[in-house]
Amino acid sequence: MTDDKDVLRDVWSGRIPTCFTLYQDELTEREAEPYYLLLPRVSYLTLVTDKVKKHFQKVMRTEDISEIWFEFEDIPLKWHYPIGLLFDLHASNTSLPWSITVHFKNFPSKDLLHCQSKDVIEAHFMSSVKEADTLKHKSQVINEMQKKDHKQLWMGLQNDKFDQFWAINRKLMEYSPEEGGFRYIPFRIYQAISERPFVQKLFRPVANDGKPHTLGDLIKEVCPAAVTPEDGEKKYQVMIHGIEPLLETPLQWLSEHFSYPDNFLHIAVIPQPTD
C-alpha cells in the first residue's frame, strides 16, 4: 500500500466528545449525573463504554439492571456499527457533545443485536475482516495468518494500540503491482432515510480500460440519487470518518487509508443540512 502513515494515524485518532445521560424513566436510588467521554470513531459502543455502565449502575438497584443499550433522538444505536459511522449517519449535523441516552431495560430486540460479552464483539469484528479479505484477496491473506495474528488485530483495536494493530493490518492492505489494487473494494453505503440497512455489491478499484475508479464512480453506480447534477443543487453529503472526501479520490487509496479496522469503507449518505 502507499504509505501515508499520517493519514492512517489521523483516522485512528478520531474522537467524538459525548455526553451520556440515563433515560428519565430508569429507577435510581439517587440522581444520576451525566458521564462525559471521548469516543474513538473506529471502535464499537459496547467495547468502550464499561466506565459509562459502571457510572450509572452505582445509582441503581441490581434488580433494575438488565442489558445496557444506547439511543440518540429515539433511534436505538446499533453497537455492531462503528461509532464514527453511527455519528455520521445520525448526528453529524448536531452540536457537540453528542448526547446519547443510556437504557438498562426494554431492550429493543427487533432493532438491536444482543451483546452479552466482548467475545460477541470480537466474533463480529473478525467475521467482517474475513469477509473483507475474501473480497480483496480471495481470503488468501487472512487464511495465511496465524491465530495469534488475528488476536493481535483484535487486541490492537480493543486496547486502542495503533502500532500493534497496523503491524498486522498492513498485510491485509497489500497487493502485487501487476494487480493494481484489490480484487474488489469492501464497502457499505448507509442512508439514514432508507429502509435497507446498507447497500453492498461487487465493485472493482480499476475500470476495464485500466483507469482507477473514484469515490464518485462508486456513488454513481450504487447510490445515484446522491450525485449532484451539474446544474442542480447539492442534496446529499457523502461522509467517511466525519469528512466529505473529494469524489475524485481514487477508491483504492480510500480503501487502504479510510477503511475502518474491520477493513470496510463505511460510507454515510446523509441529507445536506439546510441552514
Side-chain angles (χ1 to χ4, degrees):
M1 66 183 285
T2 55
D3 197 13
D4 288 320
K5 202 159 183 192
D6 288 348
V7 176
L8 301 178
R9 205 175 275 281
D10 285 347
V11 166
W12 184 274
S13 304
R15 297 289 185 270
I16 302 166
T18 306
C19 172
F20 291 90
T21 50
L22 191 63
Y23 182 57
Q24 61 195 25
D25 289 356
E26 297 283 352
L27 294 170
T28 59
E29 310 247 273
R30 58 183 189 278
E31 193 182 343
E33 295 287 329
Y35 192 87
Y36 291 86
L37 200 59
L38 280 173
L39 291 178
R41 272 184 158 274
V42 297
S43 195
Y44 299 94
L45 271 174
T46 41
L47 193 56
V48 292
T49 47
D50 283 350
K51 288 178 180 171
V52 176
K53 195 172 170 181
K54 284 182 188 137
H55 170 77
F56 290 118
Q57 284 179 344
K58 276 191 268 183
V59 300
M60 299 178 71
R61 294 179 313 189
T62 312
E63 60 266 33
D64 295 323
I65 296 167
S66 58
E67 188 173 353
I68 192 170
W69 59 282
F70 304 96
E71 166 242 303
F72 171 71
E73 293 186 348
D74 299 325
I75 300 166
L77 295 174
K78 300 181 191 300
W79 66 261
H80 63 289
Y81 285 12
I83 291 167
L85 168 65
L86 288 171
F87 183 81
D88 292 346
L89 200 52
H90 302 302
S92 55
N93 293 311
T94 58
S95 57
L96 293 172
W98 187 16
S99 185
I100 291 180
T101 304
V102 180
H103 295 259
F104 283 98
K105 52 179 192 253
N106 301 326
F107 189 92
S109 298
K110 69 177 184 8
D111 297 310
L112 300 180
L113 300 174
H114 286 280
C115 182
Q116 304 287 11
S117 72
K118 292 211 167 52
D119 291 345
V120 178
I121 315 169
E122 182 180 2
H124 166 76
F125 170 72
M126 285 312 303
S127 168
S128 293
V129 172
K130 288 171 182 173
E131 183 183 345
D133 199 55
T134 303
L135 292 166
K136 290 197 284 194
H137 307 112
K138 297 186 184 169
S139 302
Q140 285 165 347
V141 179
I142 197 78
N143 288 345
E144 282 168 11
M145 287 182 180
Q146 297 177 357
K147 190 120 175 82
K148 68 179 178 62
D149 297 328
H150 294 184
K151 203 71 186 170
Q152 184 170 328
L153 272 178
W154 166 246
M155 295 307 290
L157 175 63
Q158 180 176 295
N159 300 326
D160 192 22
K161 301 287 187 197
F162 174 85
D163 291 321
Q164 181 183 0
F165 176 83
W166 270 99
I168 303 298
N169 197 57
R170 66 179 177 77
K171 298 173 189 169
L172 293 165
M173 293 296 176
E174 287 169 355
Y175 56 88
S176 63
E178 58 271 17
E179 289 168 331
F182 304 140
R183 278 176 71 240
Y184 299 105
I185 297 290
F187 76 90
R188 289 177 183 156
I189 291 179
Y190 306 75
Q191 289 178 275
I193 48 173
S194 171
E195 289 300 304
R196 293 173 72 182
F198 55 79
V199 180
Q200 180 178 350
K201 64 185 288 188
L202 296 177
F203 197 86
R204 293 191 185 275
V206 179
N208 290 336
D209 61 5
K211 200 174 154 204
H213 273 143
T214 64
L215 177 60
D217 295 330
L218 176 68
I219 298 299
K220 265 184 218 133
E221 168 93 12
V222 179
C223 192
V227 179
T228 307
E230 280 181 27
D231 54 351
E233 187 187 344
K234 182 178 174 186
K235 291 187 177 170
Y236 293 96
Q237 293 175 300
V238 177
M239 308 273 285
I240 316 176
H241 292 296
I243 65 168
E244 288 185 85
L246 293 172
L247 293 179
E248 298 79 21
T249 310
L251 211 46
Q252 177 66 36
W253 186 91
L254 274 177
S255 188
E256 291 172 40
H257 297 89
F258 267 52
S259 289
Y260 278 81
D262 66 0
N263 278 244
F264 272 84
L265 280 172
H266 293 286
I267 303 166
V269 174
I270 57 171
Q272 174 79 3
T274 47
D275 50 14

